[in-house]
Amino acid sequence: MNFGQTILEALDSLSSNKVRTALTMLGIIIGVGAVIAMLGIGTGTERAIVGEIEGIGTNLLFVRTNHEDITNPRPLTLRDADALNDPGFAPSVAAAAPIVQGQAELTYAGQGTTVSLVGVTEEYDLVQTVELSEGEFFNSAQINGLASAVILGANVAEDLFGRSDGLVGETVRVSGQPFRVVAILKKEGGSQFGSADDQILVPLTTAQVRLLPQAVKNEVSMIYVSAVDADAVKSAEEEVALILRDRHKIKLAEDDFSILSQEVFLDMASTVTGVFTIFLGGVAGISLLVGGIGIMNIMLVSVTERTKEIGLRKAVGAKKNDILVQFLIESSLLSLLGGAFGIVLGWLLALGVGKIAAANDFLLDPAITINAVLLATLFSAAVGLFFGIYPANRAARLEPIEALRSE
Amino acid sequence: MTKWVVDAENITKVYQMGEVEVHALRGLSVKIAPGEIVSIMGPSGSGKSTLMNILGCLDRPTSGKYSLNGESVATLTDDQLAEIRNRGVGFVFQSFNLLPRATALANVELPLRYAELNGRNRKQVAKQALEAVGLGDRIRHRPNELSGGEQQRVAIARALVNDPAIIMADEPSGNLDTKAGDEIMNLLRNLNKERGTTLIIVTHDPEIAAHTDRVISLRDGRIEE
């Protein structure tokens, strides 16, 4: 039996009842569209999150006090940070930047707003990619001299001044004390982890002494450690752990600090997005299943309607397989065509979601991968075949005399 | 070439209808020589449809021997029977049974497709068959664009396209007016004369039966002598 001819015939038969064909295909179109859109958005989200984590600064380790398992942890201090900056003990560490974090009231011309405040040292510039739209980062004189200098995040500047340029030299009040604006951070956009756009930076000493009165002297909230390169992250982590255990006099007990690497964040993120993708894929899969049942239903109707045709074909020499193949091709074409339309629909959907996300400042670039397209195509063909088997088999097993006799 | 194109011996057919056994054929023997025109007559319920189905290899006898063109077919599988029908039997039905959406050419091509003949030959052979029934200028028409007589001619072209040993015609003029019916009968007789195709006509019209070489009359599943 000629395959190409059978496909043409199947197309002809499908086009003979266009409304029915379109409605049957709709189930598959929606199913495949959902799969494609979900996978696209899932992949896009994962990439956005990974990009953001990598954007925090590559080769980065975060050292925090471990409050969870330890009753009386020794806090991290500036001395700890200094020790980590000693290349003799920590050759894999490029820089260690201690920070203190807190909240502060920021006012200008009577307008006030609460912002998150980060006290930083010179090393902050080394571990974080700090990009300034104007002005310059703190120098050592400012850091050591408790200078009343502040660097504003882009959004903070916008909120306060209604603009984010030409602000260097202005004076704002932080917790009631006058501070001179020395620089403005370049707008990053779309960070989900407390964006730097909403922060202000001040010298760490200034923060500890003048702005965060509750702070213990020399105690820091966190130390950012950057490794000399990506391969050195592991050894940097070990060196940091050794130095801090020594300084905190820990011999056998649990560490009173924890070191998080980007890898941990990436693992976490990919686990989360993986679950997310599986969940969405599952929902989409169910709609494909429903579409498949629709195909089976219509094919059964079609077999009943065409009993006489089947009888005739058998009378002139069609074998069981010929009839089986004919109906399987019809159901597969139905779902494959639906799949093709569904891919286009899913792509448009993902594109639309990407646009909406972009309008809301979340950079999500939906990625329709070739894998997703192949998966959707294969899956829809499989659905057509699977749900076509029962009706096709029924057609193939019809007795020619019975079939010919039917009206 | 064997002596008989149809050689059925002591054929019975029993249908199981629930608890009841229905004896449609009660042991009849039929021999038909190549090139013969034979009509099968009988009242409804006499078993003529059953006999036609068995002679046309659409069904198997319950017992008895049947050879079509020298090949014993009583115990073949469904697919083997399909092959025999494809090569050896042409069917002409009362209600034409054409594929409504296919052109005349495509309808005639259908048996050739199941015979796995390649595309170009297929078109050529199908076209010749349509020319033989006088529809050479109608090959692109669909059944609804043809008259009843023309539709039956397409069906006849389809029946003879594989050059079968026998053509089974079941009331071929039953759905046609007298004139078209006569034309169809003349066409069948001419094809028989030109090609030597054996013709078996199932009918209850004595007029048609009178124009055949031999009449086989059935009653209650047996041949009336």
Side-chain angles (χ1 to χ4, degrees):
Chain A
M1 186 78 181
N2 185 301
F3 205 67
Q5 186 81 27
T6 312
I7 288 177
L8 285 181
E9 209 172 50
L11 282 174
D12 190 55
S13 145
L14 290 179
S15 68
S16 72
N17 201 332
K18 292 197 180 63
V19 176
R20 182 202 282 182
T21 302
L23 285 175
T24 312
M25 264 199 267
L26 201 59
I28 296 294
I29 292 175
I30 292 172
V32 169
V35 169
I36 288 285
M38 297 308 177
L39 288 179
I41 292 165
T43 313
T45 310
E46 185 171 348
R47 284 188 189 170
I49 291 174
V50 167
E52 223 158 67
I53 290 169
E54 284 173 354
I56 295 169
T58 41
N59 317 334
L60 207 54
L61 296 171
F62 306 87
V63 185
R64 291 175 167 279
T65 303
N66 178 2
H67 292 286
E68 278 178 31
D69 308 325
I70 305 296
T71 37
N72 278 314
R74 279 175 188 243
L76 291 167
T77 64
L78 281 176
R79 301 284 158 272
D80 289 332
D82 288 345
L84 297 181
N85 270 322
D86 186 338
F89 289 108
S92 303
V93 172
I99 61 161
V100 292
Q101 289 168 312
Q103 302 275 320
E105 183 74 14
L106 184 69
T107 47
Y108 174 77
Q111 296 274 11
T113 168
T114 304
V115 294
S116 68
L117 169 144
V118 183
V120 300
T121 59
E122 278 176 286
E123 285 86 4
Y124 189 73
D125 196 22
L126 301 174
V127 298
Q128 284 278 43
T129 35
V130 178
E131 287 187 86
L132 301 170
S133 62
E134 60 179 23
E136 280 181 12
F137 197 72
F138 304 121
N139 56 36
S140 57
Q142 286 168 324
I143 303 262
N144 296 331
L146 278 73
S148 300
V150 63
I151 296 176
L152 303 181
N155 288 348
V156 176
E158 293 260 355
D159 287 351
L160 218 54
F161 294 95
R163 64 183 204 273
S164 57
D165 53 340
L167 298 175
V168 171
E170 292 281 353
T171 302
V172 296
R173 286 182 180 273
V174 182
S175 299
Q177 306 166 45
F179 274 68
R180 207 168 71 87
V181 176
V182 299
I184 305 294
L185 292 171
K186 194 180 260 180
K187 193 174 177 75
E188 281 182 346
S191 181
Q192 304 311 301
F193 303 103
S195 167
D197 295 343
D198 300 319
Q199 293 175 344
I200 64 171
L201 305 182
V202 295
L204 188 136
T205 45
T206 312
Q208 280 188 326
V209 175
R210 291 169 48 188
L211 299 175
L212 302 171
Q214 70 275 33
V216 180
K217 184 157 168 51
N218 288 336
E219 184 181 331
V220 299
S221 317
M222 200 185 346
I223 303 174
Y224 287 174
V225 176
S226 70
V228 288
D229 58 49
D231 296 332
V233 172
K234 204 82 211 155
S235 51
E237 194 176 334
E238 283 161 15
E239 287 162 14
V240 168
L242 274 178
I243 291 168
L244 290 180
R245 272 183 212 135
D246 184 44
R247 291 185 54 82
H248 291 189
K249 305 199 162 40
I250 298 164
K251 296 221 167 55
L252 293 167
E254 284 286 308
D255 290 345
D256 60 358
F257 57 88
S258 59
I259 305 171
L260 291 177
S261 63
Q262 269 191 328
E263 221 173 305
V264 175
F265 284 123
L266 285 174
D267 279 357
M268 222 151 68
S270 71
T271 309
V272 170
T273 55
V275 169
F276 179 71
T277 308
I278 289 171
F279 171 72
L280 292 180
V283 171
I286 288 171
S287 65
L288 249 182
L289 193 77
V290 174
I293 293 169
I295 287 190
M296 176 148 77
N297 195 6
I298 280 303
M299 291 310 293
L300 281 173
V301 171
S302 176
V303 168
T304 310
E305 277 182 354
R306 286 154 70 189
T307 303
K308 192 149 194 174
E309 175 196 324
I310 295 162
L312 171 82
R313 286 175 183 273
K314 287 200 153 187
V316 301
K319 294 180 186 155
K320 275 195 180 117
N321 260 344
D322 294 325
I323 303 291
L324 192 76
V325 167
Q326 182 193 344
F327 279 90
L328 280 183
I329 283 182
E330 242 172 73
S331 61
S332 308
L333 268 181
L334 200 58
S335 68
L336 262 180
L337 285 176
F341 287 124
I343 287 169
V344 174
L345 175 79
W347 182 69
L348 289 175
L349 265 177
L351 219 64
V353 169
K355 285 263 187 292
I356 292 169
N360 289 313
D361 247 14
F362 181 75
L363 287 180
L364 189 155
D365 193 14
I368 308 295
T369 57
I370 188 77
N371 281 344
V373 170
L374 282 179
L375 184 82
T377 311
L378 269 177
F379 211 81
S380 59
V383 163
L385 271 179
F386 181 77
F387 287 102
I389 283 175
Y390 175 63
N393 209 14
R394 207 156 146 169
R397 295 217 322 247
L398 282 174
E399 286 291 335
I401 37 172
E402 300 288 330
L404 272 173
R405 209 177 288 150
S406 82
E407 274 316 315
Chain B
M1 200 74 190
T2 43
K3 197 178 168 210
W4 305 110
V5 64
V6 167
D7 185 357
E9 229 183 280
N10 207 19
I11 297 280
T12 68
K13 181 71 188 179
V14 182
Y15 292 108
Q16 194 74 38
M17 308 275 269
E19 296 285 296
V20 191
E21 283 189 344
V22 177
H23 293 261
L25 297 177
R26 297 165 184 270
L28 58 78
S29 302
V30 179
K31 290 188 195 318
I32 298 173
E36 244 188 314
I37 302 183
V38 176
S39 53
I40 299 175
M41 288 192 75
S44 53
S46 62
K48 60 181 195 298
S49 295
T50 308
L51 180 61
M52 184 190 125
N53 288 338
I54 288 171
L55 295 185
C57 299
L58 285 167
D59 205 355
R60 276 176 288 253
T62 308
S63 69
K65 286 187 201 156
Y66 175 37
S67 308
L68 178 66
N69 222 6
E71 197 167 352
S72 174
V73 295
T75 55
L76 295 182
T77 65
D78 287 352
D79 280 354
Q80 286 168 322
L81 278 183
E83 229 175 291
I84 298 279
R85 286 196 297 273
N86 185 254
R87 284 187 283 110
V89 188
F91 289 96
V92 178
F93 301 97
Q94 181 173 4
S95 53
F96 322 140
N97 278 355
L98 299 175
L99 299 183
R101 297 179 49 76
T103 61
L105 188 67
N107 265 297
V108 176
E109 265 184 68
L110 196 62
L112 299 174
R113 282 175 48 203
Y114 293 119
E116 321 237 357
L117 200 64
N118 70 46
R120 183 164 305 167
N121 280 343
R122 211 160 63 204
K123 291 237 175 332
Q124 202 54 45
V125 174
K127 217 174 141 192
Q128 282 167 4
L130 278 164
E131 279 160 4
V133 298
L135 287 178
D137 56 342
R138 288 271 201 275
I139 61 172
R140 299 274 165 227
H141 288 58
R142 288 171 207 282
N144 60 5
E145 299 160 345
L146 297 170
S147 72
E150 285 170 329
Q151 289 186 51
Q152 194 61 300
R153 281 164 190 260
V154 175
I156 291 169
R158 181 181 63 196
L160 57 86
V161 73
N162 257 350
D163 215 4
I166 57 171
I167 287 184
M168 307 278 319
D170 183 8
E171 304 276 8
S173 55
N175 278 14
L176 301 173
D177 58 45
T178 319
K179 187 166 168 284
D182 286 348
E183 279 172 17
I184 289 299
M185 291 314 299
N186 283 333
L187 176 65
L188 286 171
R189 273 191 288 269
N190 285 338
L191 288 170
N192 166 264
K193 215 173 287 169
E194 286 164 19
R195 301 180 169 228
T197 314
T198 311
L199 196 57
I200 300 171
I201 301 171
V202 177
T203 185
H204 57 250
D205 184 350
E207 190 83 0
I208 289 172
H211 283 91
T212 57
D213 301 341
R214 180 149 65 99
V215 180
I216 296 173
S217 289
L218 291 188
R219 185 175 290 275
D220 299 331
R222 290 196 179 84
I223 295 178
E224 269 186 329
E225 299 301 334

